[in-house]
Amino acid sequence: MAPKNQSVVTMFILQSFMDDPWIQDALFCFFFILFMVAIVGNGLIITVIHRSPSLHTPMYFFLVNLALMDVICTVTVLPKVLQSLVTENTISYGGCLLQMFIFTWVLSSELLLFSAMAYDRYLAICQPLHYGTLMSNSVCVALATFVWFTGALNALVLTCLVLPLSFCGPNLIKHFFCEIPSVLVLSCSPTFINNIMTVIADMFLSGLNFLLTMTSYGFIIASILRIRSAEGKKRAFSTCSAHLIVVTLYYSTVLYTYVRPALGTAGVLDKAITALYTTVTPTLNPLIYTLRNKEFKTSFKKLQFRH
């Protein structure tokens, strides 16, 4: 049996960024470039790491997972963003739920993955003698499985809570994609449970993971400061600086979006902030990790010479 709300609202309209044609054209070019860079960059990371035995280590294993999540996020969000800049952007009820589920899955999984990556760097720097045992292949696979499964479970719960809601109109989502807070404000059913569960999920995924990540880096920085040689400090910091930059960029935008007082309507600033972690961050991740990483650049050059 079809959900009741589908008999009332079967289509949603996604709001564009701006109404000015010139700005829309400029944004289309900007987001199209971001789309291509994100797909090519993250695809390159996955390919190089997969084909380079020297990079088959826990740090690069988690980096492949991050790159895969960035590709999924980009493919889920950006095509509809590009469409909204050239024509009226509509999305079906089912398509909206699917986009909501996939995006929430990837967002949740990335927050958990950052904690796993921070834990990996903590063991590598603070427990180097036991690193091979504590971060074995089986542990890495178990952590990755937990990350993907927990993210999917969170997305499934939050998306299923939307199914019983009725949508009587209007059907204009004041955002450029189907995100849970912006969809909930359109419901003519009570959304108290949805809002409570969203806040609980945010506290666990954003708040707790941020605390775990920062705690790991607190121990890492303290350990680095105890290293006597300047070269040793530089080498130790270089192994985690890229991840720290990515985490800072990601959390600063996600925390703003999901822990703001008012849920739902997204103004221009909210859209800009959301665009950072849905489109800009997946594009910057490959650049940040590869430009500062000698091992990756060496492996990439070796693959080029093979061809």
Side-chain angles (χ1 to χ4, degrees), residues 15 21 91 159 172 197 276-277 292:
Q15 191 178 58
I91 186 169
T159 304
L172 174 64
M197 290 300 296
L276 286 177
Y277 70 82
R292 299 176 59 87

Side-chain angles (χ1 to χ4, degrees), residues 233-245:
K233 289 182 179 180
K234 182 179 179 181
R235 189 183 307 111
F237 187 73
S238 66
T239 65
C240 60
S241 58
H243 179 56
L244 188 57
I245 292 172

Side-chain angles (χ1 to χ4, degrees), residues 50 55 57 61 77 129 139 197 217 222-223 267 279 281 295 299-300:
H50 174 70
L55 299 182
T57 63
F61 171 76
V77 174
L129 297 179
V139 172
M197 290 300 296
Y217 275 102
S223 180
T279 60
T281 303
E295 289 180 330
S299 297
F300 177 62

Side-chain angles (χ1 to χ4, degrees), residues 240-297:
C240 60
S241 58
H243 179 56
L244 188 57
I245 292 172
V246 171
V247 168
T248 302
L249 285 172
Y250 203 78
Y251 270 110
S252 60
T253 54
V254 170
L255 287 174
Y256 166 82
T257 302
Y258 280 86
V259 193
R260 64 179 186 260
L263 293 174
T265 55
V268 175
L269 178 60
D270 291 342
K271 291 180 182 179
I273 295 296
T274 305
L276 286 177
Y277 70 82
T278 57
T279 60
V280 177
T281 303
T283 304
L284 290 178
N285 283 353
L287 299 177
I288 292 173
Y289 279 109
T290 58
L291 291 178
R292 299 176 59 87
N293 193 306
K294 292 182 180 179
E295 289 180 330
F296 183 90
K297 288 188 285 188

